[in-house]
Structures are given as C-alpha cells and as structure tokens.
Amino acid sequence: MLKGHLDMIVLAALAAGPAHGYAVIERIRHKSGQAFDLPEGTIYPALHRLEQAALLSSRWVTAESGRRRRVYALTRAGERALAERRAVWQQFSDAIGGLLQGARPRRKPA
Amino acid sequence: MIHDYLDTLARALSFDPSLSQRVRREVEDHLLDAVAADPARDRREAERQAVAHFGEPHAIAAEFARVAVARQARSLAAAIVVMVFVVFIAMKARVAWYAATQWTMAEDMRPAAKIVLLVDRYAFWTAVILAIAGFAYMVGRRVVPASHRARAGHLRHVSLLCAIAAAALAVSVVSDGLLTAFQLRGALSWAESLIPISSMALEVACIGVLAWQIRAIARRAACARALENRCSL
C-alpha cells in the first residue's frame, strides 16, 4: 500500500528543503512518527524516477566530512505535483473519514 | 562488507556505466551515513545492519534498470521526432537541388518511380503521425508509473509507437534511396550528385541512430527482465 504512495511521500519529504537520500529517509521516518520504515534501497530508484520526470533536480555537493553526495530538490513542477497530490489525498482522506465515522463526506472524492 | 555489496549492485547495473557509477557513489554515501549513525560499537555489525536495511542488491538494481529503460524510451521518442524532421529537410533539399539544376528523371524510370514515390509518401506520413503520437504520449505521462504493471503497460505503448514509427521511417528512407538512384542514373559528374548523395547519407545516418537507440533499449529491457527473474526465483 505504501509503495503506491511512494512518490507523494518522497515529494513531501523534500518539501522542507533539498536533501540527500539518507536525509530523505530520516525525514520520512521522523515526520511519520517512525510509522513508515521503508526498505532504504527503494527510495533511490524513486528519486531517480522523479528526477527523470523533472519533478526533482539533483546535484553533487561536498559534505563537511569531505564526501561527495547527491542532493535532491523539488522543482517548480515537483511543487505543483505535490500540491495536486495533497489536494487529492485530502479529499480521499475526508471521504474515508466520513465513511468510517458514519457521516457523509464533505466533498466528492476524485 | 559494504564494498562487496556495492560491487554486486554496480555489476548488476553494468549495462549502463554512468548509472552504475552514480548509483554506487550514492549508495556508498548512504551506507556510510547509516554505519556512522549506528549506536553499535562493532563496525562490522553496523555494516551488516546497514546493508540488510538497504535491501537485496539485485531487487534494487532491477528497479534502477526499469527507470533506465523508461529514460531510454523517452529519449527514443524525442529522437524519432527529430529524425523525422531531419529526413524531411534532407528530402526537401534534394528536391530543391533537382529543381535548381533542372535535373529531370529519365523517361524509362518514371513508372517505377511513381510507385516508389507513393510508398515513400505513405511511409513518411505514417512515421510523422506515429512519432508525434509517441512523443505526445511520453509528454502527457511525464511521471513513469510507480507500479510495475502500469509501468510495463506504459512502456509497451511507447515502444510499440516508436518501433512502428522507426520502421515506417526506414521504409521511407529506403524509398528515397531508390528514387535517388533512379534520378542519378545517367548523372554527368560527381559534383552534380554531391547534394543528392549527401542528403541520402544523412537520412541513412538518422536511421542508424534510431537503430542504435532501439538496440540499446532492447538490451536494457533484457537486463531489467533478467534482474526481475533473478529476484523472483
């Protein structure tokens, strides 16, 4: 289930600012309250795929340790894609919430 | 242990040396971060944990291979549009040269040329329509689907459109070659034939580039399938 939302999760993790792969995983763990403990290797193909779709950009930087690392950042298109996915998710979440509580959803889900 | 893991991952991606090198450097950085963050004092145990959390190297390589195939398909879709345009310019240049030099085709070649010209036109416009359709499909679906099934369907559609467009363009170029041969029959000098032969060489080069790209995609797709099969065993 989580894999189907991996793109949105990665985009959301990068909304806070540019980060390298390890930091993206740490952000996902931290922001989800340790609920999302993804297999770490799955993040990198997703980062490459989103970069290929021009939703992310990346560049090599030299860290304080002297190591070269690839840092990813949201592009304008990535910000727009994240906003769209947030809106769809909110509608879906409202609808499911309404159903589970026995109330009518506020809006029609997409 | 980390180096063994990186070697396995890089070897699995050796069909694309630049991707293999980039992935190796990124994953190495990740694993060293993970080891540094591990509270265990035993470095060997920390490395073992880091590698275990990262996942099976062939499964990860398979994911990267699928992304690489999608990237190659995208560049093929763009290349076909460019090549169709280049072939069109080459054809127009040749026709303009014949008009400028008032060079007419020999009478006995005209009936055959009429048939070849018809094939040429249909093949070329088929290539134009399919190349634009393939490119529009790629642009419309910028994000390659995350699910394996949806991604396979997406790539199948793009590959089919690109393959038929490339085949149609190849037929058009072969027809152009025949028409040029008919036209050049009885040419007086090399200087006269220079523009027609150069434009034909350009068209053949375009087809060569497309054939090379299609071969590269087929190779990467085969590598991705082999990695997937290895993981599912």
Side-chain angles (χ1 to χ4, degrees):
Chain A
M1 184 180 167
L2 201 56
K3 202 173 177 186
H5 302 293
L6 186 58
D7 292 357
M8 184 174 65
I9 291 169
V10 171
L11 291 174
L14 283 164
H20 53 92
Y22 187 80
V24 169
I25 292 164
E26 286 294 298
R27 276 186 198 171
I28 292 170
R29 271 200 202 115
H30 178 70
K31 284 192 167 187
S32 69
Q34 312 293 324
F36 295 165
D37 195 8
L38 296 160
E40 295 173 1
T42 58
I43 292 291
Y44 288 89
L47 287 168
H48 282 226
R49 197 160 40 77
L50 292 170
E51 185 184 7
Q52 189 181 301
L55 301 183
L56 300 181
S57 61
S58 75
R59 64 194 172 93
W60 288 105
V61 298
T62 306
E64 282 176 19
S65 62
R67 281 208 315 263
R68 299 271 291 158
R69 56 182 24 162
R70 194 89 179 174
V71 170
Y72 294 86
L74 280 184
T75 59
R76 286 272 173 86
E79 286 170 4
R80 279 197 300 272
L82 178 60
E84 283 165 17
R85 283 166 202 226
R86 264 197 188 124
V88 170
W89 180 263
Q90 194 57 54
Q91 287 181 347
F92 179 74
S93 169
D94 287 350
I96 293 290
L99 276 171
L100 293 178
Q101 287 164 20
R104 290 184 65 187
R106 276 183 288 170
R107 278 168 293 187
K108 195 178 172 185
Chain B
M1 187 174 283
I2 285 179
H3 284 288
D4 290 346
Y5 184 89
L6 293 172
D7 285 345
T8 307
L9 188 57
R11 220 174 13 252
L13 293 171
S14 59
F15 61 87
D16 185 336
S18 68
L19 175 70
S20 173
Q21 196 183 4
R22 175 177 164 181
V23 168
R24 188 190 171 105
R25 286 169 71 184
E26 276 194 271
V27 175
E28 182 178 26
D29 178 50
H30 176 102
L31 294 175
L32 291 175
D33 273 343
V35 168
D38 196 314
R41 291 200 175 172
D42 181 358
R43 172 145 182 127
R44 196 166 172 76
E45 177 57 19
E47 285 191 7
R48 199 192 63 74
Q49 288 279 348
V51 163
H53 281 151
F54 203 81
E56 208 282 314
H58 291 102
I60 292 159
E63 278 292 319
F64 276 115
R66 289 181 206 126
V67 176
V69 172
R71 191 181 57 229
Q72 189 90 32
R74 177 179 285 270
S75 77
L76 174 65
I80 289 182
V81 172
V82 172
M83 298 307 168
V84 164
F85 182 70
V86 172
V87 167
F88 179 74
I89 296 293
M91 282 194 292
K92 287 290 169 196
R94 205 164 42 242
V95 171
W97 175 254
Y98 295 148
T101 55
Q102 296 180 335
W103 191 347
T104 52
M105 190 180 285
E107 278 296 329
D108 58 331
M109 287 290 133
R110 288 191 180 180
K114 231 176 185 176
I115 296 167
V116 176
L117 188 62
L118 199 66
V119 172
D120 188 11
R121 278 194 185 142
Y122 276 112
F124 182 75
W125 287 110
T126 303
V128 169
I129 291 165
L130 292 178
I132 292 171
F135 187 71
Y137 187 78
M138 284 301 281
V139 171
R141 292 188 155 217
R142 196 164 53 175
V143 182
V144 177
S147 92
H148 177 47
R149 201 171 173 179
R151 190 166 39 203
H154 172 75
L155 280 176
R156 203 167 37 246
H157 294 149
V158 175
S159 306
L160 191 67
L161 283 171
C162 289
I164 300 175
L169 191 63
V171 170
S172 172
V173 169
V174 169
S175 306
D176 282 346
L178 285 173
L179 288 170
T180 306
F182 294 162
Q183 190 85 29
L184 293 186
R185 198 161 163 260
L188 295 175
S189 66
W190 267 103
E192 274 183 328
S193 317
L194 193 64
I195 296 288
I197 288 175
S198 308
S199 63
M200 264 323 300
L202 186 62
E203 288 187 32
V204 171
C206 288
I207 295 299
V209 169
L210 289 182
W212 178 80
Q213 285 220 343
I214 289 171
R215 187 174 164 269
I217 288 189
R219 200 168 147 241
R220 282 173 194 206
C223 289
R225 270 196 304 275
L227 285 165
E228 279 162 19
N229 291 340
R230 186 178 177 143
C231 295
S232 62
L233 283 176

